[in-house]
Amino acid sequence: MHTVDPPSPKLRRSLTTPLLTLYGLGVTVGAGIYVLVGATAEAAGPYAAVSFLVAALVVSLTALSYAELATRYPVSAGEAAYVEAGFQRGWMAVLIGLAVAASGIISASAVAIGAASYLHTLTGLGTALLTIGVVSVMGLIAIWGITQSVFVAAVITVIEIAGLLFVIGWGMSVQEPQGHEISAMIPGLELSTWRGIMAASLLAFFAFVGFEDMANVAEEVKDPTHTIPKAILLTLVLATGLYLATSITVLLVVPIDTLSTSAAPLTLVFFDAPEVIKQGFAAVAVVATVNGVLIQMIMASRVIYGLADRDHLPKILATVPQVTQTPVVATLLVVAIILLLTQTLPIGILAERTSQIVLGVFVLVNISLILLKSRPGSTREHFRVPLVVPILGVLTSALLFGAGFL
């Protein structure tokens, strides 16, 4: 059995633990929590916050597997490199590439609907029209070329997190909350209750999608063996804390029947706030969600371009005009699919499908680590987790995947 050695890095190693954690929070926190608290409450009722906890548990097991794989193979190819190394099948890398691109496209569609819903509260224009506008403008930016630097992502992350902290602070100070008391948010042991919580966990999981992108900047990390595991775990702990506090606040303040029908749920916390506060928060939410659309669009188009460039997809998708130096045809294809999805499917279905695709990738990534651990050990120094971690990662990811069919 041959082992796959990581290629020597070509990119500059400049990311430290704080910067990588900020990047991780940037790609994780944001669109999911801003648009999905309502859909989660519709499935889990007052126990929506527990769904975020279940999702965090599933994510944390696979995150530990990613931490080992990213330090074994500190390359930009991420999941495709791990699966190819584990299964030793080139076609599986293509399959994973297509799955990752699909998750980005479907995720961007869900987030675009959320962005349009927040814009609707600012402008009063129709949501369908605003969705087309958001997708088209983000598509143009992606085509004209964008250097989505860690610094820019960090600035937007700070805005997103400040927005969530503001929701928590404002919600906790509301004099007459209309929602459930905290004691009513603790579930009993009834099967029907947990069926709802598990189904909602698939939606809550969507809010954590993105942390795995940290593995894709591994080539640019200083001392990846120590930095990557630390930054991944820090990202998850901080994101989970924010999500729990936000979901509890919204459930406390907003009646569940109002919450469960909203694609812009966090604005409901400000029902009795001055107009300037409502408008200001809606603007922050638009920044948070629009950024999510753009990042996923760029990611999906680059994956499609990469597959076409290696002759796995039609060559035309690898076209890069000299003027823009971006994969224009691949980006146009991504924009067209997103426009179709936003006009035909609701936000909850889109978030569920994204989660299921990512969970499928997680299952394969965990199996890859199990296969790698069963072979003679590599001599390179890297972060290690016990074998039980990827085994539990496979089981929990598969269980949550199945929750979508309950």
Side-chain angles (χ1 to χ4, degrees):
M1 273 301 181
H2 70 288
T3 56
V4 182
D5 287 322
S8 55
K10 300 173 188 67
L11 302 170
R12 193 163 70 90
R13 294 198 179 281
S14 58
L15 295 180
T16 55
T17 303
L19 267 179
L20 186 60
T21 305
L22 261 179
Y23 175 78
L25 285 168
V27 292
T28 307
V29 175
I33 190 72
Y34 273 84
V35 300
L36 278 178
V37 177
T40 311
E42 188 178 10
Y47 313 120
V50 180
S51 298
F52 282 97
L53 214 48
V54 172
L57 179 69
V58 174
V59 170
S60 59
L61 287 162
T62 297
L64 287 166
S65 293
Y66 266 90
E68 173 161 342
L69 286 162
T71 56
R72 273 179 182 253
Y73 305 101
V75 295
S76 296
E79 292 94 339
Y82 313 152
V83 170
E84 191 168 6
F87 287 89
Q88 299 184 336
R89 297 280 184 279
W91 64 267
M92 288 198 75
V94 178
L95 180 73
I96 288 290
L98 286 170
V100 170
S103 73
I105 289 169
I106 303 169
S107 165
S109 306
V111 174
I113 294 172
S117 300
Y118 280 110
L119 269 171
H120 170 73
T121 63
L122 276 174
T123 63
L125 295 171
T127 312
L129 183 70
L130 287 168
T131 308
I132 293 168
V134 166
V135 175
S136 304
V137 170
M138 292 304 111
L140 283 171
I141 293 172
I143 283 167
W144 283 117
I146 179 125
T147 41
Q148 186 75 333
S149 70
V150 171
F151 177 73
V152 172
V155 170
I156 291 172
T157 304
V158 170
I159 294 170
E160 289 169 348
I161 292 171
L164 293 179
L165 292 172
F166 188 53
V167 167
I168 296 160
W170 187 273
M172 290 299 178
S173 69
V174 168
Q175 294 303 310
E176 293 176 22
Q178 310 285 308
H180 288 268
E181 290 185 7
I182 290 178
S183 58
M185 297 180 201
I186 301 161
L189 297 174
E190 299 84 10
L191 187 63
S192 59
T193 299
W194 281 94
R195 194 180 287 135
I197 289 169
M198 289 306 291
S201 295
L202 190 61
L203 291 167
F205 176 86
F206 181 85
F208 289 95
V209 169
F211 88 86
E212 67 280 7
D213 287 359
M214 295 168 78
N216 291 325
V217 293
E219 259 183 62
E220 292 149 281
V221 174
K222 279 184 184 174
D223 186 15
T225 309
H226 298 103
T227 302
I228 293 173
K230 217 183 293 177
I232 284 179
L233 291 173
L234 262 173
T235 297
L236 284 181
V237 167
L238 292 169
T240 304
L242 269 173
Y243 291 175
L244 275 177
T246 303
S247 52
I248 288 168
T249 303
V250 178
L251 288 163
L252 198 66
V253 174
V254 183
I256 212 112
D257 51 350
T258 311
L259 182 62
S260 60
T261 56
S262 177
L266 300 189
T267 50
L268 301 173
V269 171
F270 303 101
F271 63 92
D272 63 348
E275 199 57 33
V276 65
I277 298 231
K278 288 182 184 172
Q279 303 279 358
F281 179 74
V284 167
V286 169
V287 170
T289 47
V290 161
N291 185 49
V293 177
L294 183 60
I295 287 173
Q296 296 293 1
M297 229 178 230
I298 290 168
M299 182 275 285
S301 61
R302 296 318 184 267
V303 173
I304 290 170
Y305 158 79
L307 290 171
D309 198 41
R310 296 185 194 92
D311 298 319
H312 297 304
L313 289 175
K315 205 68 181 168
I316 189 167
L317 292 167
T319 309
V320 178
Q322 194 60 47
V323 182
T324 60
Q325 293 190 313
T326 57
V328 170
V329 181
T331 307
L332 286 172
L333 175 68
V334 167
V335 169
I337 300 171
I338 292 171
L339 283 171
L340 179 69
L341 292 175
T342 56
Q343 300 306 307
T344 52
L345 291 171
I347 193 167
I349 298 286
L350 291 165
E352 259 188 40
R353 294 300 161 265
T354 304
S355 296
Q356 284 176 318
I357 292 169
V358 174
L359 284 163
V361 171
F362 280 9
V363 168
L364 288 175
V365 165
N366 279 301
I367 294 173
S368 300
L369 184 55
I370 294 168
L371 291 170
L372 286 164
K373 281 180 169 296
S374 68
R375 293 179 200 143
S378 87
T379 50
R380 289 176 63 254
E381 188 200 347
H382 60 77
F383 178 74
R384 283 180 167 81
V385 294
L387 183 60
V388 70
V389 168
I391 291 171
L392 286 172
V394 171
L395 292 173
T396 52
S397 297
L399 268 172
L400 196 52
F401 181 93
F405 304 102
L406 288 175

